Amino acid sequence: MLIIFQILFSLFALFAIVNVLKKKKEGLLGPKGLIFWLIFWILAIILVFYPNSTTTIANYFGIGRGSDLLMYVSLVVIFYVLFRLNVKLESIGRSLTKIVRQDALKNIDKDKK
């Protein structure tokens, strides 16, 4: 039964990799994003075919189960990505405010003339 899951997951991961490469080609993904997502999906494929490797790595770090290690790492990555998104949204908000303010000042100058 695991072999069916491994095949289906690998097909999905390959589909995701193709989409990542497509987004990079369209200019919607930067080099850092490309590297992150390629590493993510390649590691996911490797871990699906070698599930006991997570337990070996977890034991090295003093964690009992490989699934616990994956959960901890996933939470750290998710919170880091959320932090980066929050910083980016704040930056976009400040830039938008600056642009709107400049546009409003230009309109005031035009109304005075």
Side-chain angles (χ1 to χ4, degrees):
M1 190 56 108
L2 188 59
I3 293 174
I4 294 171
F5 175 76
Q6 290 170 332
I7 292 169
L8 291 175
F9 185 86
S10 296
L11 290 174
F12 177 77
L14 290 174
F15 172 75
I17 289 172
V18 168
N19 277 331
V20 166
L21 295 173
K22 186 177 170 183
K23 296 298 180 193
K24 173 63 178 159
K25 188 176 180 181
E26 293 171 359
L28 299 173
L29 189 64
K32 290 179 186 177
L34 174 70
I35 292 169
F36 173 80
W37 287 112
L38 287 178
I39 289 172
F40 174 84
W41 287 113
I42 291 169
L43 279 176
I45 292 171
I46 292 169
L47 292 177
V48 163
F49 280 99
Y50 301 102
N52 291 333
S53 63
T54 58
T55 302
T56 304
I57 296 168
N59 289 335
Y60 177 77
F61 287 107
I63 300 170
R65 298 181 304 178
S67 58
D68 291 342
L69 174 67
L70 288 176
M71 186 64 67
Y72 300 150
V73 170
S74 298
L75 283 172
V76 168
V77 170
I78 287 169
F79 280 115
Y80 178 72
V81 169
L82 282 173
F83 168 74
R84 294 281 311 258
L85 282 171
N86 188 38
V87 169
K88 189 62 135 176
L89 282 173
E90 291 290 331
S91 173
I92 290 171
R94 281 192 295 279
S95 297
L96 185 60
T97 300
K98 184 177 177 182
I99 291 169
V100 169
R101 186 176 295 136
Q102 289 172 350
D103 188 49
L105 290 174
K106 285 179 186 176
N107 286 338
I108 289 174
D109 290 340
K110 287 180 184 177
D111 290 343
K112 287 182 181 180
K113 291 179 183 181

